[in-house]
Amino acid sequence: MSTEVDAVVVGTGPNGLAAAVTLARAGLSVQVFEAQPTIGGGARTLDLGLAPGITHDICSAVHPLAISSPFFVDFDLRARGMELTTPDISYAQPLDGKPAALAFHDLAETVDHLGAAGPEWHRFFAPLLERVDDAIWLSLGDKRSVPETLRDVPGIANVVKFGLRLLSQASPAWNIPLSHESTQSLFTGVAAHAIGGLPGMGTAATATMLSTVAHAAGWPSPIGGSQVIIDHLVADLEAHGGTVTADARIEHVSNMPAARAYLLDTSALGAAQIFSGLLPTHVDRALRGFRQGNAAAKVDFVLNGPVPWADPNVNRAGTIHVGGTRAQMAAAEADVMNGRMPEHPVCLVSDPTIFDPTREVNGLRPLWTYCHVPFDCPLDPAEYIIRQMERFAPGFRDTIVAYNSIPASEMAGHNQNYIGGDIATGVVSFYRMMARPRTSWDNYSLGVPGAYLCSAATPPAPGVHGMNGWFAARRALKNRFGISEAPSLSPQA
């Protein structure tokens, strides 16, 4: 078959670009298409026109896995000149009428801060930090192979340690190992990142891994915003001969150049539409039937000063989980699961100016927030988030200069993958971390020779880690081009 290019990638999110970089570094010609006028998917930083010079991270803002995932460890953003700031406090959990619970980068400092609750936090995480790469690989593997790091006796032991902790926080008995309000709320705030049932296997797995990383590499943010990660990926791709075309929506494979491999950083539904009429019936049905998860609704604020948290220590944290106690967050997420808008939704907040002074312009600063809402919820989230902020930061409303609010029902307008506000590109349950987006030994194959799905709709899970794209690209290299050894991603290679 005559081809115009070796591989075509659709979508320029971190996974699409991870796949493109991997293919290009193997010596293939690669062409990437992006539907939006700007490149980056969920890792873009844009001027929303709210105030001169103020930019906002439109989806992801804090990046625990941009230096910890195996893909990015090899790619090595820091060696490429990217500046990251890692706060002393990875995340904070404000509590009503009392000091906030704080998770410091340093485990010992966290234990000391937690006082009487400190020993149980230490018992939970210290064993996982002995070989933190095991926890990362267990969480970010393709769920089909066993990495070398987990094949020795200590690795197997760490799998058991990780599994036992995960199970303890996925059951109704989750208050036994973490019995204090401070430790419970700290863990649950991280678990809520998965926007699922609390307790649950998917949410517990997310929290166990991300909290472990918080005490290892920390939860850093790029100086200049998330876009810097994308810029480095694009620069490497172009240095190896790849090209990127923005504002180029792909409706069907017939709209693309002829290629030996197609990798789609799209939703499962988007993949089914692009290969409409070509997929095996059972694959098409599974992709179209892959259930969407719960949703996020986004509000980007411009403030005239720092958030006036009741506990000033919260302003030292890179990420703030706003939802109160474990019971309050579990109730809010249960409402979301049942299609109801919670009166006090779980919110995620980050003030990038605290750690990156370049983000402040003329005394104004961005504030990144979103809250959890039912799928495709049309409600404006702004007032819900403002009320939650006022609850823990009295006077917050008076710091607001401007804001841009996006209901869940409109989130797909700036990223096709976020159908109905589902920023995870499909439900995140323990089963759906394994069978993502369908039950198959090869979750990346679309059942058509050379066609692969490489988005967050595949294993391991959502997040800015590049692993979905890297796994899909490695399969394409082996099966379509006979290249078994993955290329080095090192800046020196």
Side-chain angles (χ1 to χ4, degrees), residues 93-101 181 309-312 314 323-325 328 388-394:
Q93 187 80 30
L95 297 168
D96 291 299
K98 60 186 67 175
E181 183 180 84
W309 297 106
D311 182 345
V314 175
T325 65
Q328 289 167 340
Q388 278 288 68
M389 294 293 290
E390 280 280 339
R391 174 181 167 191
F392 300 104

Side-chain angles (χ1 to χ4, degrees), residues 262-321:
Y262 297 92
L263 289 89
L264 309 184
D265 185 9
T266 68
S267 66
L269 176 61
Q273 292 170 337
I274 288 173
F275 277 91
S276 178
L278 301 173
L279 299 175
T281 301
H282 70 283
V283 175
D284 183 80
R285 186 184 305 117
L287 294 176
R288 294 178 186 274
F290 182 43
R291 187 164 64 88
Q292 300 295 151
N294 299 306
K298 185 78 159 52
V299 180
D300 292 299
F301 292 95
V302 175
L303 308 182
N304 60 17
V307 176
W309 297 106
D311 182 345
N313 282 320
V314 175
N315 256 333
R316 299 168 55 201
T319 301
I320 302 97
H321 304 130

Side-chain angles (χ1 to χ4, degrees), residues 18-40:
V21 162
T22 303
L23 296 168
R25 278 179 162 259
L28 305 181
S29 57
V30 181
Q31 191 164 357
V32 184
F33 294 97
E34 169 57 51
Q36 295 292 324
T38 54
I39 293 167

Side-chain angles (χ1 to χ4, degrees), residues 178-200:
L178 298 177
S179 62
H180 291 75
E181 183 180 84
S182 56
T183 53
Q184 291 172 359
S185 61
L186 271 180
F187 189 93
T188 309
V190 184
H193 280 240
I195 321 182
L198 295 168

